[in-house]
Amino acid sequence: MLNAMKEYIIQRDNFIQKDVDELVQCGIPENFARVLSSRGITSSSLSELQGDGKYHDAFAMQGMSQAVQTVKKTAQEGKRILVYGDYDADGLSASSLLSLFFTRNGIDNDVVIPDRQDGYGMHTHLVSEMLSTGKYGLLITVDCGISDSDTVEELKQLFPDVDIVVTDHHEVPETIPQCVCVNPKLGNYPFRYLSGSGVAYKLVQAIAGNDIALQYADLAMIGTIADIMPLRDENRTIVRHGLSNFNHKGLKLLAAQSRCEKTITATDIAMRIAPRMNAAGRVGSPLTALRVLLSAERADEDAVERLSELNEQRKQLLDDIVEQADAMCDNRKIRQEKLVFLYGKGWQHGLLGIVANRFREKYNLPAVIMTEDNGNYVGSARGTDGVDLHALFVQAESLLVRFGGHKASVGFTVSAENLNALRQRLSQCLCAMPEEVFDRKLYYDLDADGSFTYADVLRLSDMMQPMLPSDGIVLRVQDHVKYANSFGKDGSHISFTVSDGLEMKGFFKFSQYLDALKTGAETVTLCTLERSSYDGNIVGIVSAIDLLPSLHFEKLFDTVYAKNISVQPFDIHESAFEKVQEALKSNNVAVVFDTYNQYLKFGKEVCNELPAPKFFLPDQSDRCVLIAPINNDFSRYDNVVVFTDSKSVRNYGSALYVFVDRPQRPVLNRKICMAVYKALLGKGKYDSIQGLYNKFLLEKITYAQYLCALKVFEQLHLISTDYMYQLEIKGNKVNLEDSAVYRYLYEDC
């Protein structure tokens, strides 16, 4: 039996009730206590929110004592240390952290960073020439190595006099390198979620003590935030200390060029600094970022400027790859396989993870993106909440050259001959999982129900700092819209105010909601709060909008109807009831109605096992009920069932049609058409369809009637239109009755 009316906006419930009760005893309101508990904050750690925080004993980490002894032995012998780090922001910050520490303490060292063409992990050829000189007594890895037991063994055979220490934070495989390994996931260390730079920071703590380590907290903070580690326990302390000891000259110049405020926040690091660090490894050389990170005493201005240039280049290359990958998508196959699996040639290695994340968000399915690399394919994968991606790839390990990563993120290499086998294996494992694993869910923390003020939420948010952007307190606001407008270039953003006075801002993807919001619609909006830097007012930053049924939509239903009424007739037939019933039960179906009243009258009963209807805009669910869809493309669905009042309204291709009465529809007659024609006559080309109506016909006829008249004129070849931009009169003499649209909508008023 299929679940009825699945709710996809869900209040977060990952709090621990015992911790909530104890927080309440400390004077925290219960709803706020749940928010704190969901972020790992307990009554015992409450005082640490405003304090300096605490660290666990660094020597409690397995392998730490041996690592410290090995570093000290190398220093006493006067040998050099070779630091080998990964090419992302975490690996780069960890590498520079150790290198700066060693240099300041008189230990000669060098840093080796692979680039994206080399791939993640350790590579013998990158260090062999340097180690063969005999100058090095120790090779120490940061943010990598735990999955490279074969490479470590090879290096031990080649260079038996060189000690090897692996420091890493990634998931521990069944076989680990036979050398000193330091990883919080080994043994019983109290906190398992340090970043690679966090582990390097703990090594410095173990060698020199916490006071010395604080000098490198800003670097450890970069890697912690860039790798999206949970800001709990030691990670919170590292980031707090990093922000309060933000003295690194290169980072300060980069922050200034990135338009950060003088007081740096975790959000600045996540949204402005870390992307620029990663840009070097993604589209250029990671050594550019390393130069910035090693210039702690004096900023390298050229390197900082180059990072900003690479970041802009990254954005353009990313758009190009996404466009190419999007053209490869077979929506139905993706839904059937429960997997986005795409590969190309010449795609930047460093952008694969970002592209994978884009498609994961689009389809709410695990996404695997690859590019050809010397006969193999190098790829990045991103998983959804319900899928342990690392565990998934373990089941395909025999098909891979190498792989590593986390629950939500995996990097890998696969041979060309195993490409299809990998796809089949991953899909087979995913399809065996319960359907509810792939349900789209949006989580929020608090209902704006009047039990608190928005200022109260901001005070709670301030108390919880530092926070990653993803850890912001999400509110669910259900209210009517009073005012709505667009802003920004090409009106790509929206601003609207709800009846309780809160102003909301939605960026980029929300502009398509503007017409509905302008009607005064009731919405369920998910948002985080911040203070406007312009006037200090509290503003909601929108993360999701859901439109609720509204009488205000009647005119919009007519407008959508008018925009989509068919100019050219097409031949379709009403579908058999049995076929419709079968389609409605399928796992991939969209059901379409012209109006909400039509849904209530003809469709509510037959759709009672489907989700609640969406207005105008579908979500990415496999089963969708949609009222007055703006877009005609339903190719991603195996089945489309259309309840409509006439076969001449809109062509949905291979959809199943159920013809029903529509309570109302736009009315046309000769008088209305003449009014529109007179407004058009002699004016030449028009840059705006909407603008012409506003100037000449506003309040004389409805906008839907105006659009229907244009459809009639277009069908009679009297005009040509581009409904986004232009309209042109051709001036032919016509008979209105020759238009099927006119005959269908004609009514004598």
Side-chain angles (χ1 to χ4, degrees):
M1 182 69 178
L2 296 167
N3 292 330
M5 303 294 283
K6 287 182 180 176
E7 184 58 71
Y8 79 110
I9 296 179
I10 302 169
Q11 189 163 20
R12 207 185 304 272
D13 63 358
N14 60 331
F15 54 83
I16 299 172
Q17 190 60 48
K18 177 177 175 291
D19 293 339
V20 171
D21 294 340
E22 291 176 356
L23 287 165
V24 169
Q25 291 176 11
C26 295
I28 305 294
E30 184 165 357
N31 51 1
F32 285 6
R34 291 182 182 131
V35 175
L36 293 174
S37 175
S38 70
R39 277 31 174 216
I41 299 168
T42 65
S43 58
S44 61
S45 62
L46 192 60
S47 60
E48 297 175 12
L49 290 178
Q50 299 304 320
D52 285 340
K54 296 179 181 179
Y55 290 111
H56 301 295
D57 179 8
F59 288 100
M61 197 177 301
Q62 183 172 310
M64 185 64 80
S65 295
Q66 298 95 310
V68 171
Q69 292 170 8
T70 305
V71 169
K72 289 182 176 180
K73 178 174 82 71
T74 304
Q76 290 167 359
E77 292 174 351
K79 291 291 187 75
R80 299 178 73 91
I81 294 178
L82 186 60
V83 180
Y84 186 106
D86 204 358
Y87 44 67
D88 65 2
D90 187 22
L92 288 163
S93 56
S95 299
S96 56
L97 189 159
L98 286 189
S99 180
L100 287 170
F101 170 72
F102 291 149
T103 299
R104 288 170 179 172
N105 287 274
I107 304 174
D108 291 334
N109 67 93
D110 294 294
V111 178
V112 172
I113 304 289
D115 59 30
R116 289 279 175 171
Q117 281 65 44
D118 294 313
Y120 54 89
M122 297 178 66
H123 298 278
T124 302
H125 72 277
L126 294 178
V127 297
S128 292
E129 185 175 347
M130 299 177 75
L131 294 181
S132 64
T133 63
K135 298 177 181 178
Y136 297 92
L138 171 62
L139 169 65
I140 183 167
T141 75
V142 289
D143 193 35
C144 64
I146 198 66
S147 297
D148 294 305
S149 56
D150 290 345
T151 305
V152 169
E153 191 59 36
E154 183 180 3
L155 289 170
K156 286 169 63 178
Q157 295 294 326
L158 290 172
F159 309 104
D161 295 332
V162 177
D163 292 320
I164 299 176
V165 172
V166 166
T167 75
D168 201 349
H169 72 120
H170 291 92
E171 296 295 332
V172 178
E174 289 186 11
T175 303
I176 66 172
Q178 294 301 300
C179 65
V180 176
C181 291
V182 181
N183 187 318
K185 292 182 173 69
L186 287 169
N188 298 310
Y189 190 68
F191 185 63
R192 295 168 52 84
Y193 303 107
L194 291 167
S195 65
S197 57
V199 178
Y201 185 75
K202 296 300 294 184
L203 177 59
V204 173
Q205 274 188 343
I207 295 172
N210 189 53
D211 289 344
I212 297 297
L214 280 175
Q215 300 174 28
Y216 308 94
D218 44 11
L219 289 167
M221 168 186 67
I222 298 294
T224 299
I225 293 175
D227 239 32
I228 321 178
M229 294 293 102
L231 294 195
R232 302 175 182 177
D233 204 285
E234 284 192 302
N235 285 341
R236 178 180 292 279
T237 306
I238 286 172
V239 172
R240 186 183 295 279
H241 286 163
L243 293 172
S244 60
N245 293 274
F246 195 72
N247 301 314
H248 190 290
K249 296 296 191 298
L251 289 175
K252 291 183 79 169
L253 180 59
L254 183 61
Q257 288 205 2
S258 305
R259 299 180 181 178
C260 297
E261 300 289 340
K262 287 187 177 180
T263 302
I264 302 297
T265 67
T267 297
D268 290 327
I269 302 298
M271 305 301 290
R272 299 175 186 271
I273 305 298
R276 284 167 169 77
M277 284 292 157
N278 280 321
R282 295 187 194 282
V283 300
S285 168
L287 299 183
T288 304
L290 186 67
R291 282 171 54 194
V292 173
L293 292 169
L294 290 176
S295 60
E297 317 296 341
R298 181 180 178 183
D300 187 328
E301 295 183 9
D302 291 339
V304 170
E305 181 66 31
R306 179 60 179 153
L307 275 189
S308 295
E309 293 172 358
L310 288 172
N311 193 49
E312 293 303 312
Q313 184 180 342
R314 173 192 66 84
K315 293 177 183 178
Q316 184 57 57
L317 288 171
L318 176 62
D319 289 343
D320 293 343
I321 296 174
V322 169
E323 183 178 356
Q324 293 175 41
D326 201 39
M328 299 176 181
C329 288
D330 182 332
N331 293 326
R332 291 191 178 185
K333 189 171 185 177
I334 286 171
R335 294 291 165 187
Q336 290 169 354
E337 295 184 343
K338 304 295 184 188
L339 175 69
V340 181
F341 193 93
L342 304 171
Y343 49 90
K345 293 183 178 181
W347 292 352
Q348 289 290 123
H349 289 63
L351 298 178
L352 300 178
I354 304 177
V355 176
N357 199 52
R358 292 276 184 94
F359 284 93
R360 176 196 65 81
E361 290 178 350
K362 179 176 180 179
Y363 291 98
N364 194 46
L365 291 169
V368 178
I369 307 295
M370 296 160 287
T371 190
E372 190 180 33
D373 183 72
N374 294 322
N376 291 327
Y377 281 84
V378 174
S380 285
R382 296 294 183 269
T384 54
D385 288 344
V387 176
D388 185 333
L389 202 61
H390 188 269
L392 181 67
F393 271 77
V394 167
Q395 296 182 70
E397 187 171 6
S398 62
L399 299 172
L400 302 171
V401 176
R402 61 196 302 161
F403 85 103
H406 309 287
K407 177 180 178 181
S409 170
V410 165
F412 65 95
T413 301
V414 60
S415 63
E417 57 265 27
N418 282 339
L419 205 57
N420 288 330
L422 176 62
R423 179 180 202 148
Q424 293 170 6
R425 179 75 56 83
L426 295 177
S427 176
Q428 183 182 30
C429 294
L430 290 167
C431 290
M433 295 180 183
E435 278 295 323
E436 54 266 25
V437 166
F438 304 101
D439 288 344
R440 182 177 293 274
K441 297 181 179 68
L442 297 176
Y443 293 97
Y444 70 95
D445 296 291
L446 296 168
D447 266 303
D449 55 7
S451 62
F452 53 82
T453 67
Y454 295 127
D456 291 336
V457 177
L458 274 184
R459 281 191 288 271
L460 178 65
S461 180
D462 289 341
M463 183 175 76
M464 292 168 60
Q465 295 296 337
M467 287 194 301
L468 295 173
S470 58
D471 285 335
I473 301 171
V474 180
L475 297 187
R476 178 185 179 274
V477 181
Q478 182 170 335
D479 207 342
H480 289 88
V481 175
K482 291 174 64 178
Y483 315 106
N485 285 295
S486 61
F487 68 96
K489 186 178 180 181
D490 301 325
S492 54
H493 315 310
I494 60 170
S495 173
F496 61 99
T497 302
V498 293
S499 62
D500 77 350
L502 179 65
E503 181 186 4
M504 306 274 201
K505 290 187 177 180
F507 296 93
F508 298 109
K509 63 181 180 180
F510 298 108
S511 60
Q512 56 190 338
Y513 289 92
L514 183 61
D515 288 342
L517 297 178
K518 280 185 173 181
T519 68
E522 185 177 7
T523 68
V524 172
T525 304
L526 301 189
C527 68
T528 55
L529 300 180
E530 63 180 42
R531 286 199 180 274
S532 168
S533 58
Y534 175 70
D535 55 18
N537 291 333
I538 297 175
V539 178
I541 305 301
V542 176
S543 57
I545 296 176
D546 203 8
L547 300 171
L548 299 181
S550 173
L551 291 174
H552 298 286
F553 288 160
E554 290 301 323
K555 288 183 179 179
L556 262 184
F557 291 150
D558 281 350
T559 299
V560 173
Y561 183 94
K563 285 182 177 179
N564 292 295
I565 192 169
S566 177
V567 174
Q568 301 299 329
F570 49 91
D571 185 25
I572 59 172
H573 304 280
E574 187 169 13
S575 304
F577 181 75
E578 294 77 12
K579 286 188 176 181
V580 172
Q581 287 292 94
E582 184 180 349
L584 289 170
K585 293 177 181 178
S586 69
N587 289 325
N588 188 251
V589 59
V591 187
V592 180
F593 296 88
D594 293 322
T595 69
Y596 186 61
N597 282 336
Q598 195 181 64
Y599 162 75
L600 293 176
K601 184 175 180 180
F602 301 107
K604 188 174 182 181
E605 185 175 346
V606 297
C607 294
N608 66 349
E609 292 185 339
L610 290 166
K614 300 292 178 185
F615 295 87
F616 313 111
L617 302 159
D619 58 24
Q620 291 297 322
S621 301
D622 288 347
R623 295 163 57 77
C624 176
V625 178
L626 189 58
I627 312 296
I630 295 173
N631 195 305
N632 236 18
D633 183 10
F634 286 82
S635 60
R636 58 177 290 257
Y637 293 99
D638 293 331
N639 295 283
V640 180
V641 178
V642 180
F643 287 76
T644 187
D645 65 335
S646 169
K647 64 181 181 180
S648 65
V649 175
R650 176 152 50 157
N651 188 350
Y652 289 89
S654 59
L656 300 173
Y657 291 85
V658 180
F659 295 143
V660 295
D661 293 331
R662 185 171 189 260
Q664 293 179 339
R665 64 188 179 206
V667 169
L668 274 188
N669 57 32
R670 184 172 295 277
K671 182 179 178 181
I672 292 169
C673 290
M674 286 302 297
V676 176
Y677 186 72
K678 286 180 180 179
L680 297 172
L681 198 59
K683 304 297 189 300
K685 288 187 178 181
Y686 295 88
D687 292 333
S688 169
I689 297 291
Q690 177 77 53
L692 177 68
Y693 174 79
N694 291 344
K695 185 173 182 180
F696 296 106
L697 296 163
L698 190 63
E699 297 182 355
K700 295 179 182 179
I701 61 175
T702 68
Y703 189 58
Q705 288 174 320
Y706 164 65
L707 292 177
C708 286
L710 294 183
K711 286 282 188 176
V712 170
F713 297 160
E714 184 180 12
Q715 191 170 50
L716 297 173
H717 306 292
L718 182 63
I719 62 172
S720 61
T721 60
D722 175 338
Y723 278 88
M724 290 297 293
Y725 302 109
Q726 290 189 339
L727 179 152
E728 183 178 5
I729 300 176
K730 295 184 176 179
N732 302 327
K733 187 174 181 179
V734 297
N735 182 2
L736 292 175
E737 284 75 12
D738 290 340
S739 164
V741 173
Y742 180 81
R743 293 195 303 272
Y744 177 64
L745 297 177
Y746 173 78
E747 186 173 312
D748 191 10
C749 299

